[in-house]
Amino acid sequence: MLALGVVEDAIAQLRNNTGYAGTVNLYLDNVSMRQLFADQDFKLMYQGQYGAEEVRTLRPFQLIGVNFIPTTEAPVQTHAG
């Protein structure tokens, strides 16, 4: 399950290891986007933005230094084992 905390942890790890302070692109397929929209932390942070054009049309939007970009061509990784 994709949650805002997982995204924040990944960004923190990236910044700790590289010192990068800019925005990061996160490409989400439809399932990942639905999981993110169901996350309570995401709902609280993005509260009141439902009327926003980005949310209604699933266009790219920015939050916590991350560009959330919906796509149907997100790479899928499989784990052995």
Side-chain angles (χ1 to χ4, degrees), residues 9-27:
D9 289 345
I11 298 303
Q13 187 74 21
L14 174 71
R15 290 182 177 153
N16 285 341
N17 288 329
T18 65
Y20 181 74
T23 56
V24 176
N25 291 341
L26 175 60
Y27 298 93

Side-chain angles (χ1 to χ4, degrees), residues 57-72:
T57 60
L58 292 180
R59 290 189 180 158
F61 59 95
Q62 188 179 72
L63 185 67
I64 63 168
V66 178
N67 297 316
F68 292 90
I69 304 170
T71 182
T72 57

